[in-house]
Amino acid sequence: MTSSRQDPGIARVQGVYQLLALDMDGTLLNSDKIITPDVHEAIRVYMRRGGRVTIASGRFPASVWLHARAAEMNAPLIALNGAVILDEATGELKSGAPLPPEHVRELLRFADEHGAYIQLYGYNKLYVRELNETNARWPLANVVVSPGKELNEQNYAEQLGMIEVVAVGDLQRFVSGSFLPAPPIYKATIIGPSPELIREWMGQLGGGSEVNSKPLASPYTAKPSQELPQPEEAQRAALLAKPQAKPAFTLTRTGRHRFDVNAYGVSKRSALESLCRELHIAPLEVAAVGDYDNDADMLAWAGLGVAMGNAEPHIKRLAKAVTSSNEEDGVARVIHNFLL
């Protein structure tokens, strides 16, 4: 259970790392979607010694907040791949970087033309065309699981009330604000029938399997502005008339059959940079732990980027250290080996 690789330049000096940023699935949570007692205790010890702990996840804000509250974390939290930063005490939005409305409409056209399933994320709301087996149980996958408590809607009703799946019918009309002002969309997920098709779609949208941009200087606004809808043909012409413009999206693979779409420049790294400015913490004082593609940029950026033992090989290669898996309390080992 020792680390399988460590950069020889890493010094184990108490107090060097002031902030610990943790991915959730495959990192903070084990395969049963639980924070184990050893990980809980290690986090408590680190915070008692003055450390700050945050979550940096692709999940809904409510899910991030519920898990952080269970672990009594003490720093603002990051959700939806860095598109929102939320208050650790209340779960309320502190700042957000939504997709521009015209880019959401372009993304929906792409999904329609390619027969892809797409769902849109507001703040704790999942917007879909219609309820189906793919999306109806999405909130249940975001609750804080209690050991020995069966995962069903009755047992977790209180938590499930914090995340809503909203069937809106025509997504294009919904985001165009034809009836009511469209809400900010912070993330979209596209799901396809095969990994090969996912790679093809990511390439067509201008991405690949990695985050496809450098973070913007400041993509976050406390109250995201909403643009007035324009005629569809005018929107398409405006986009096509800017061949030298920066890419519209940040794309990250989040599974063999799906990928996430955020606004260009938005990532866990960009959110951590914003958070560190607020907390007056330098990048070299940040330890980040993760296991998947949407963790890559924050692991490469942080003073200490640690890949989980269950991470894919390309994530392990870019990390400064590799810990044990999420089944072997890998996060606890990071804290004991490097942060205490």
Side-chain angles (χ1 to χ4, degrees):
M1 290 176 63
T2 58
S3 296
S4 58
R5 183 178 65 77
Q6 176 178 328
D7 188 322
I10 296 174
R12 182 183 174 189
V13 181
Q14 183 174 342
V16 168
Y17 302 109
Q18 306 300 317
L19 175 68
L20 172 62
L22 299 171
D23 168 55
M24 284 183 66
D25 295 285
T27 301
L28 177 64
L29 306 180
N30 66 9
S31 61
D32 294 324
K33 303 301 181 182
I34 291 171
I35 306 175
T36 67
D38 283 351
V39 171
H40 259 297
E41 181 58 25
I43 289 173
R44 291 192 191 100
V45 171
Y46 174 64
M47 290 191 296
R48 283 200 298 266
R49 297 192 183 185
R52 307 289 293 269
V53 181
T54 185
I55 288 173
S57 173
R59 287 199 187 197
F60 284 105
S63 183
V64 169
W65 180 71
L66 286 166
H67 284 83
R69 185 181 65 172
E72 300 179 326
M73 294 184 184
N74 59 357
L77 306 164
I78 295 166
L80 298 176
N81 290 332
V84 300
I85 298 174
L86 55 145
D87 186 275
E88 73 275 22
T90 66
E92 295 180 355
L93 176 71
K94 287 173 62 71
S95 59
L99 284 151
E102 68 272 18
H103 291 168
V104 178
R105 292 191 284 272
E106 188 67 18
L107 191 61
L108 289 171
R109 282 192 290 270
F110 179 90
D112 285 342
E113 291 168 0
H114 292 80
Y117 172 85
I118 186 169
Q119 55 192 27
L120 307 177
Y121 293 73
Y123 200 82
N124 292 327
K125 292 183 184 293
L126 184 68
Y127 299 109
V128 298
R129 287 187 173 88
E130 59 186 6
L131 294 178
N132 58 32
E133 292 183 0
T134 300
N135 56 49
R137 290 176 60 84
W138 214 264
L140 199 57
N142 282 269
V143 300
V144 177
V145 177
S146 299
K149 193 174 183 180
E150 185 180 351
L151 188 62
N152 58 46
E153 293 182 358
Q154 181 177 356
N155 286 339
Y156 295 91
E158 182 178 354
Q159 294 186 54
L160 292 176
M162 301 179 67
I163 300 171
E164 185 180 2
V165 180
V166 184
V168 300
D170 189 328
L171 285 168
Q172 279 286 8
R173 297 186 69 181
F174 172 69
V175 301
S176 297
S178 298
F179 301 107
L180 296 171
I185 300 300
Y186 294 103
K187 187 183 87 167
T189 294
I190 290 181
I191 300 175
S194 70
E196 294 75 23
L197 203 52
I198 290 299
R199 285 194 293 270
E200 180 181 329
W201 289 345
M202 291 182 74
Q204 291 175 12
L205 282 168
S209 62
E210 299 177 358
V211 173
N212 66 350
S213 65
K214 294 182 179 178
L216 299 177
S218 182
Y220 300 92
T221 56
K223 294 182 179 180
S225 61
Q226 297 182 31
E227 299 179 13
L228 295 174
Q230 299 178 20
E232 293 297 322
E233 291 304 318
Q235 286 286 2
R236 183 183 289 270
L239 288 170
L240 295 177
K242 298 178 181 179
Q244 300 303 318
K246 64 175 179 275
F249 309 115
T250 293
L251 309 176
T252 43
R253 185 169 61 93
T254 51
R256 286 173 53 81
H257 295 272
R258 67 183 186 269
F259 63 94
D260 284 351
V261 184
N262 291 95
Y264 177 78
V266 170
S267 68
K268 294 182 181 183
R269 168 184 169 172
S270 68
L272 278 173
E273 288 181 319
S274 178
L275 180 56
C276 284
R277 287 192 293 271
E278 176 185 341
L279 299 178
H280 305 289
I281 293 174
L284 288 176
E285 298 175 315
V286 178
V289 190
D291 73 307
Y292 214 70
D293 286 21
N294 59 348
D295 302 314
D297 60 342
M298 77 169 180
L299 297 186
W301 166 83
L304 175 63
V306 182
M308 296 296 292
N310 49 285
E312 295 193 357
H314 66 283
I315 300 299
K316 292 179 179 179
R317 286 194 295 269
L318 63 82
K320 296 181 178 70
V322 178
T323 187
S324 51
S325 76
N326 63 328
E327 296 300 302
E328 303 169 302
D329 297 322
V331 167
R333 297 192 68 82
V334 171
I335 293 172
H336 288 299
N337 289 342
F338 301 116
L339 275 63
L340 300 181

